[in-house]
Amino acid sequence: MNVQADLALQYIQNTNRHIFLTGKAGTGKTTLMKKVVSECPKSMAVIAPTGVAAINAGGVTIHSFFQLPPKNFIPNNDTAPNTSYVNQRELVATQKLRREQIKVIRKLELLIIDEISMVKADVLDIIDFTLRRLRKNKNLFGGVQLLLIGDLLQLPPIVKNNDSNYLRQYYATPYFFDSQAWKNINPINIELTKVYRQNDQGFINILNNLRNGIALDDDISKINKRYQPNLDFEDLIILTTHNYKADKINNQKLEELNTKSVNLPGVIEGNFSINALPIPENLVLKVGCQVMFVKNHREGLYYNGLLAKVTHIDKDEDLIEVKTLEDGKLIMVSKDEWTSTRYETDAEGNISQKEDGKFVQFPLKLAWAITVHKSQGLTFQKLALDLEDTFAPGQLYVALSRCRTLQGLQLKSKIDQRNVLADSSILNFYTRIQNQNGSLSFELENAKKDYQRVKLIDRFDFQSISEIVMEIEEYNPKQDIELRKITRKWNRQFDKKLKALEAIAVKFQLQLKGLLINDEDDPSMLKSRLVKAIDYFTKSLNDDLLEEINIYQKDISSNYKKNKKYNQLIESLQNEIYRQITKLYKITFNDSSVYTGEKIYARKEVFNPKNAKVTYKIKSTYEETLEYWNQGYSADKIAKTRKLTLGTIETHLNKLLQEDQVHIDDLIFPERLNKLKAYFDLKDENQTLTTIINKVPFETSFGELRWVQTWLRKNAS
């Protein structure tokens, strides 16, 4: 892993600093984001500004996550000029979040926003305002760490002309870095600089100049040497500036084919937004048409951006045969699926993703032409450019940077200096943040210590228990007035005890802040005080709260037992109290456990010798994964069933592989294993999985590479 990527991971995982992760096209921003999602232990969510970007990032849209109206945001309570604006007060009135959505927001530790270059400044202020309000936390972004990912010199936010003048009253520019929230924090800015897409340093230098708005005559001359007045569309794709241009080329080329049109309808299930469809819902293809894959195949059979010609269509069997332009390989393509997700909290209080909708279709689309905008993230061996009508900053740079080599380019029209556009406010921003890079490594250790202290103080925050008590109070068992009276009376008694304990906890948090200032002078005093606090609060949580619940459950009438919803709420309250006790016992400071005594009040396994039945058992997470695996579940299905990330399940399977409880042939097809192992050199101690994943020309994952690495090491030993 390169230095900047490793530094970014350190800040993400071990600090609570807000981070802007940027880099030129092809520097591995998406790869790093996937690594964070699969390996970072923090409770997180991934959001993006558009439906397609959200599907690609494996998250949800900003507007659906926060239930935002499709309006511009005024970051105070000024009167809105018209109905296309909303101020803070009006946002609160219109923002309808479900209880489950609010739970997720309150559990967040890390919020990842992909394609941040497309997010307007007012949207980032909405996020800040919403997080602070719903989390009841006055800190910026409600105390949630932000990871913003994107290149500001590629895709700008869309601002209508009639809106830009009004928003200028509040924002110097429409870019996220001029939001009021971002300007009031001290973020970490990390730029990935190693380019993996191109190897020719001369071409890389040209791209760097264009990205920075530098139009050198020599660079433009070298690009214009690729001009082809009689451009041949066959066996390559043309990038153009507007949708209507791309559609016109594709429709015209399809019409020219003498073969029969075949209509291939897709299927939308559940909640899957039309705006998030990666391809048309209904595909119209012909034998002989040029297509592009729009998805990576799990086993590396094809990848997103691979060009091919359709050679056969079997509508009855739902199969399409294509021949790749790159190497002439025949591929039999079946329908694939894209899933939309929503975030929920599981029974353990952790944030998990659940499938919300599905789109089923062939992963292909007509591809004689696409827009520069839709080529974002793709890589081509060769392509043609029609950039005569370049209209947005960064458009020329994005188009050129899709190609691996300068020799792979063809130009339909020559370019000149007017095509080289870059926003000076963005260039000035990048100049400012580059000055910070030298101090980041030095600041890391202090940032780690600050984060440890914040986490330590948060361990004595019982807000999550209060939220469930509030939910119980709001629950109204309508079918039984007498039961309602009993429950409300108990709720008041329980809440009184909880508030008394919270008041003591708040006082201790203040004491703890003072002790932490001097922890380096006398760490033994801090540890002694923490041990006493853990003893006190675990006992209080058990004696004052858990015992109160146990007594209540024994005393109330049988009506309670029939009320499933209320019973679930009480059970979730018990679970949350036990989680809080466990968190206190697990407190660490300076990388060592604080509490070493007997964990008296931790939840225990109860065994009934009379019928030899375990009534409560804590099963290892690896054992649960193995059980599903032995039942024939795939890694994807286990992740969905257990509401965990695929990366987590892949890590479980790697441990099980080490212990010989699963076999490599069950994890990876032998042919694919042979392909992947060629990229490993066990003798190279400096070789990392990041290095390998950047070399593999087809789609893979860190989890899969880790399986191969484990298998190779086991064989070697």
Side-chain angles (χ1 to χ4, degrees), residues 268-503:
I268 296 176
E269 300 175 5
N271 296 317
F272 198 106
S273 171
I274 295 293
N275 296 326
L277 293 178
I279 46 178
E281 183 179 354
N282 294 305
L283 280 176
V284 178
L285 302 178
K286 291 181 177 181
V287 170
C289 70
Q290 185 166 294
V291 293
M292 179 177 73
F293 284 93
V294 293
K295 206 171 192 290
N296 295 317
H297 188 259
R298 173 68 180 161
E299 303 299 332
L301 192 61
Y302 50 78
Y303 59 86
N304 189 12
L306 177 65
L307 296 174
K309 287 277 182 70
V310 173
T311 53
H312 179 70
I313 302 173
D314 190 332
K315 189 174 180 180
D316 295 332
E317 296 294 328
D318 269 346
L319 289 172
I320 297 176
E321 184 187 66
V322 302
K323 185 177 183 180
T324 65
L325 301 188
E326 187 176 314
D327 55 10
K329 183 171 65 174
L330 289 174
I331 299 176
M332 196 64 73
V333 187
S334 55
K335 286 185 174 179
D336 208 330
E337 64 180 46
W338 293 259
T339 57
S340 60
T341 61
R342 66 176 185 271
Y343 286 98
E344 291 186 347
T345 53
D346 59 22
E348 297 301 315
N350 301 313
I351 294 177
S352 61
Q353 279 182 285
K354 187 172 183 180
E355 185 178 304
D356 201 31
K358 183 188 298 183
F359 172 55
V360 181
Q361 183 55 285
F362 290 101
L364 301 167
K365 71 175 180 181
L366 291 176
W368 284 284
I370 59 170
T371 62
V372 175
H373 183 94
K374 290 179 181 175
S375 73
Q376 186 76 2
L378 301 179
T379 302
F380 299 103
Q381 297 294 340
K382 58 181 183 174
L383 56 83
L385 304 180
D386 174 18
L387 301 176
E388 190 174 9
D389 297 327
T390 305
F391 64 92
Q395 204 167 38
L396 174 62
Y397 165 70
V398 172
L400 288 169
S401 63
R402 299 308 99 195
C403 200
R404 287 194 181 276
T405 64
L406 185 60
Q407 290 69 34
L409 287 170
Q410 293 185 44
L411 267 62
K412 185 181 179 185
S413 56
K414 290 187 176 183
I415 66 168
D416 56 36
Q417 290 194 358
R418 67 184 176 85
N419 299 112
V420 183
L421 303 173
D423 192 318
S424 60
S425 60
I426 295 176
L427 295 176
N428 291 336
F429 170 72
Y430 272 116
T431 300
R432 292 197 305 272
I433 69 174
Q434 282 169 358
N435 295 331
Q436 184 195 48
N437 287 343
S439 62
L440 290 182
S441 298
F442 176 75
E443 291 179 18
L444 181 59
E445 288 308 312
N446 286 333
K448 285 181 178 179
K449 287 182 180 179
D450 290 342
Y451 180 53
Q452 272 196 335
R453 290 164 180 161
V454 169
K455 281 176 63 179
L456 185 58
I457 292 169
D458 283 347
R459 285 288 188 263
F460 297 91
D461 185 339
F462 303 149
Q463 184 183 341
S464 57
I465 300 174
S466 296
E467 287 167 4
I468 299 176
V469 172
M470 192 181 302
E471 191 176 348
I472 293 171
E473 287 176 354
E474 291 173 359
Y475 177 69
N476 187 1
K478 296 177 182 178
Q479 77 281 8
D480 192 324
I481 296 174
E482 191 60 34
L483 176 59
R484 188 159 68 245
K485 287 179 182 178
I486 295 170
T487 57
R488 284 184 173 176
K489 181 180 178 182
W490 180 80
N491 287 345
R492 285 194 295 270
Q493 292 173 345
F494 186 88
D495 191 46
K496 187 177 179 181
K497 290 188 174 184
L498 175 59
K499 280 187 167 53
L501 188 60
E502 283 184 309

Side-chain angles (χ1 to χ4, degrees), residues 138-195:
K138 294 181 181 179
N139 293 316
L140 285 166
F141 300 105
V144 176
Q145 181 185 26
L146 259 61
L147 170 60
L148 311 185
I149 302 174
D151 181 5
L152 290 164
L153 289 163
Q154 292 192 47
L155 294 176
I158 297 172
V159 183
K160 297 176 182 176
N161 289 333
N162 55 340
D163 291 329
S164 62
N165 290 333
Y166 186 81
L167 288 173
R168 203 170 285 125
Q169 296 179 36
Y170 304 98
Y171 304 105
T173 74
Y175 302 109
F176 83 89
F177 57 78
D178 273 327
S179 66
Q180 295 184 10
W182 196 256
K183 288 167 76 172
N184 285 319
I185 61 177
N186 181 26
I188 296 296
N189 301 288
I190 296 178
E191 183 174 5
L192 304 180
T193 56
K194 181 174 174 56
V195 177

Side-chain angles (χ1 to χ4, degrees), residues 555-569:
D555 289 348
I556 60 174
S557 67
S558 60
N559 286 340
Y560 161 78
K561 295 173 184 175
K562 296 176 184 177
N563 193 316
K564 185 177 180 181
K565 170 65 176 175
Y566 192 75
N567 190 36
Q568 287 174 339
L569 287 171

